[in-house]
Amino acid sequence: MDEQNTESRVEFLKGDKVLWMVILVISIFSIFPVYSASSNLEYIVNNGTTTGHVIKHMFFVVLGLGIMRLVGTVKYEYIGKLSSILLGLMIVLLVVTMFTGQTIDGASASRWLKIPGTPISFQPSSFAFLMLIIYLCRYLTKKITRERLPIENIMYIFGPILLVFVLVAKDNGSTALMILMVSVIVLVIGQLHWKYIAGFISASFIAIILFLLIALNTNMIGGNRVHTWMSRIETFTSSKAKSADTDDESVKAKNYQVMQAKAAIVHGGITGMGPGKSALKQMLPQSASDFIFAVIVEEYGVIGAAFLISLYLIMMIRIVMIASKMPAFFGSLLVLSLGVMIFIQLAVNIAVAVNLIPVTGQPLPLISYGGTSMLVTYLQLGIILNISSRIQIYDEEGMGKKQSIAEINDIA
């Protein structure tokens, strides 16, 4: 009986057990800073109640864990096969969002698309990003045995990347830049010839410069946020050039978010003020999402932040280990690519909080309050766990060969 129970528990946590444990710990921990920081939404923004927000967050945590486990029941090769169709669907939704997108919680960008007949809204850009990376991994794997023609690279690799970038860039510049960055990394890992990668980077750079010039000097691209991006970059450079105690009130006003985040981090010290005792969360905009890391440091101190970062580090290490053990190129490439997506989002969020880069609006993976980004992260981790469960294993317990290499590579 005990053996049967053990097998059931192991089967429920299908895939890498260490990664599962890390995800569960971070997910449970996220409830506490979100509960604390969401009081800002109730008392300052006058949006809902703290209890309501934490219940919503817990719902998305449970839903995300369920989706992550559900993904583990589907062969990841099928996800690769469907990626081109799903990417096409996401591109259509991005176009729809450009014309009918909505704002949420006072945001100035129309990034959300409401599901008709329901109060549910989501960001198509997050799902489009994920589908694009899966599509690139599959295409690079299918064509790895022969030299691709230049027209093939333009149509089937660079075309989709630039199309998604253009559709996302208008309202979400930071995500658009991350799409380009991660895509280039995937192309490098996917062993695309360096001359094509260099050409793509050069063409992308020129296209971005032209986009900025047109958006800043003409009205051809209506509703763009280029002026907002330039203002954030100017604010960031000003904060570096001038001391924090400058008398320039305009600099202080523009740099308010970062100043409050840095103050919260300093206030936390080594041990922190204690759970729920953040004094600056009410003055920190987006304290439950974009700047939640500052709240975590204030309440849990450097020790708590170091523990959280250690968990993320373990997550990254396990992802690299899974990729290194996977005999199939598609599986290995996909795991590394999804890991890069998570790592860059994590690094950007923390870098903004400590004022290393301009404000971008990227959430902290598995922690920040918000549904779309959290569910996409759980999807990414679900695929990684799925692949980890398919690695060929030979051990003394007689688990035997789970799958042949021919079966794993059959993704066409």
Side-chain angles (χ1 to χ4, degrees):
M1 182 64 70
D2 291 338
E3 292 181 358
Q4 292 178 350
N5 292 336
T6 301
E7 290 177 1
S8 298
R9 288 196 297 269
V10 171
E11 185 61 23
F12 178 77
L13 300 180
K14 189 175 181 181
D16 188 275
K17 305 304 181 293
V18 175
L19 184 56
W20 259 108
M21 291 299 103
V22 170
I23 295 169
L24 290 174
V25 171
I26 296 177
S27 298
I28 295 172
F29 170 76
S30 70
I31 297 172
F32 300 100
V34 166
Y35 179 72
S36 175
S38 60
S39 62
N40 181 297
L41 297 174
E42 178 178 1
Y43 299 112
I44 306 301
V45 184
N46 196 27
N47 178 14
T49 65
T50 300
T51 302
H53 289 304
V54 76
I55 290 176
K56 181 179 178 181
H57 178 76
M58 292 172 65
F59 168 77
F60 279 115
V61 168
V62 174
L63 178 61
L65 291 172
I67 291 175
M68 188 173 69
R69 181 61 185 86
L70 182 62
V71 170
T73 64
V74 181
K75 285 187 176 183
Y76 75 92
E77 295 93 339
Y78 295 159
I79 300 175
K81 293 177 181 179
L82 292 173
S83 61
S84 56
I85 298 175
L86 294 175
L87 176 60
L89 176 61
M90 290 302 110
I91 289 174
V92 172
L93 293 180
L94 286 175
V95 174
V96 173
T97 305
M98 289 184 64
F99 297 99
T100 64
Q102 300 180 338
T103 61
I104 290 181
D105 296 335
S108 59
S110 302
R111 304 171 183 172
W112 287 265
L113 189 63
K114 185 176 181 181
I115 300 177
T118 71
I120 302 174
S121 299
F122 68 100
Q123 292 190 62
S125 59
S126 298
F127 290 101
F129 189 5
L130 175 60
M131 289 303 112
L132 174 65
I133 298 306
I134 297 175
Y135 164 81
L136 290 176
C137 292
R138 177 176 183 261
Y139 184 81
L140 289 171
T141 304
K142 286 181 63 180
K143 303 297 183 179
I144 198 172
T145 56
R146 68 174 179 83
E147 177 70 18
R148 282 174 291 268
L149 299 174
I151 189 63
E152 290 182 288
N153 290 328
I154 294 173
M155 291 182 59
Y156 300 114
I157 297 180
F158 305 142
I161 295 174
L162 291 176
L163 179 58
V164 174
F165 170 80
V166 170
L167 293 175
V168 173
K170 176 177 173 291
D171 290 304
N172 200 338
S174 60
T175 298
L177 288 177
M178 287 173 60
I179 288 173
L180 277 184
M181 186 185 307
V182 175
S183 297
V184 170
I185 294 174
V186 172
L187 297 182
V188 172
I189 301 174
Q191 301 179 17
L192 184 65
H193 198 283
W194 65 268
K195 64 181 180 182
Y196 294 119
I197 298 176
F200 175 67
I201 294 175
S202 301
S204 299
F205 180 77
I206 295 173
I208 292 173
I209 296 299
L210 290 175
F211 174 82
L212 293 176
L213 291 175
I214 294 173
L216 289 172
N217 298 291
T218 70
N219 295 321
M220 295 176 60
I221 307 176
N224 67 80
R225 286 169 50 83
V226 174
H227 291 283
T228 301
W229 307 340
M230 301 304 293
S231 177
R232 287 179 175 178
I233 295 174
E234 180 183 353
T235 299
F236 173 75
T237 55
S238 297
S239 69
K240 293 296 184 182
K242 299 183 179 182
S243 61
D245 58 350
T246 179
D247 293 329
D248 191 335
E249 295 298 327
S250 63
V251 173
K252 287 185 177 181
K254 290 181 179 180
N255 207 34
Y256 178 79
Q257 294 184 95
V258 174
M259 290 176 64
Q260 295 301 323
K262 291 168 67 176
I265 292 173
V266 173
H267 191 226
I270 301 298
T271 59
M273 306 305 298
K277 296 182 180 180
S278 169
L280 295 172
K281 62 188 177 186
Q282 307 298 354
M283 295 178 285
L284 183 60
Q286 304 296 329
S287 60
S289 52
D290 301 348
F291 286 94
I292 198 168
F293 182 75
V295 175
I296 292 173
V297 178
E298 185 182 8
E299 295 189 348
Y300 300 91
V302 174
I303 295 176
F307 175 73
L308 178 61
I309 292 175
S310 297
L311 290 176
Y312 282 122
L313 180 60
I314 294 172
M315 179 187 292
M316 294 299 111
I317 292 174
R318 297 306 297 185
I319 288 174
V320 173
M321 291 177 63
I322 292 168
S324 65
K325 293 179 180 178
M326 187 66 195
F329 183 77
F330 174 59
S332 180
L333 176 61
L334 185 55
V335 168
L336 283 177
S337 300
L338 297 179
V340 168
M341 290 179 66
I342 297 172
F343 174 77
I344 290 181
Q345 183 179 337
L346 166 68
V348 167
N349 179 274
I350 295 177
V352 168
V354 299
N355 198 27
L356 290 179
I357 61 174
V359 175
T360 62
Q362 291 297 322
L364 189 62
L366 299 179
I367 299 283
S368 292
Y369 177 71
T372 303
S373 176
M374 179 172 287
L375 293 182
V376 168
T377 302
Y378 279 116
L379 270 172
Q380 294 169 329
L381 292 170
I383 295 172
I384 293 171
L385 286 168
N386 183 325
I387 296 173
S388 72
S389 69
R390 303 282 298 283
I391 297 173
Q392 292 178 325
I393 299 175
Y394 297 89
D395 59 22
E396 66 277 9
E397 296 180 1
M399 296 182 70
K401 188 177 181 181
K402 290 189 172 182
Q403 188 183 33
S404 68
I405 295 180
E407 292 173 325
I408 296 176
N409 280 322
D410 182 20
I411 64 167

